[in-house]
Amino acid sequence: MKRLLVVDDALFMRRLIGGVAAEAGWEVVGEAGDGAEGVALYDQLRPDLVTMDLVMPNMGGIEALQKIRELDPSARVVVITAVDQKQSLMDSIRHGAVDFIVKPFDRDRVISLLNKLAASPS
């Protein structure tokens, strides 16, 4: 079973993503409420995938993405973003995000993306 770390400052969003991931056969091994906590949990858990919100307190998603990729250049991170954050989305792709999900997201799109990533080598 593939292992997922969910990083988002909104508890309801973490639970929503976790529920969809479970439907797709993923195990949520950790949840973080900000980027700094996400980096620490990534270092501890080394999951197969991270979903990363961009706008969070303490440390935003792009900085957390950079720090995770410094810890593990092969880390796979999917960015979660609102539609009006195009520049941040482009920055995240430049810093190594493997894909993105736009909020509010379509459940089937997320399941399809998770299935695709589960089938591809880490």
Side-chain angles (χ1 to χ4, degrees), residues 30-82:
E31 294 183 12
D34 65 51
E37 186 182 1
V39 172
L41 279 175
Y42 182 87
D43 194 30
Q44 176 187 351
L45 301 170
R46 297 296 171 133
D48 299 299
L49 182 68
V50 178
T51 60
M52 179 76 67
D53 187 14
L54 287 183
V55 180
M56 297 179 287
N58 302 323
M59 180 188 293
I62 291 176
E63 184 180 355
L65 167 63
Q66 290 173 300
K67 290 187 179 300
I68 286 172
R69 300 272 300 165
E70 287 170 10
L71 288 170
D72 178 4
S74 66
R76 298 192 310 169
V77 178
V78 172
V79 167
I80 309 277
T81 183

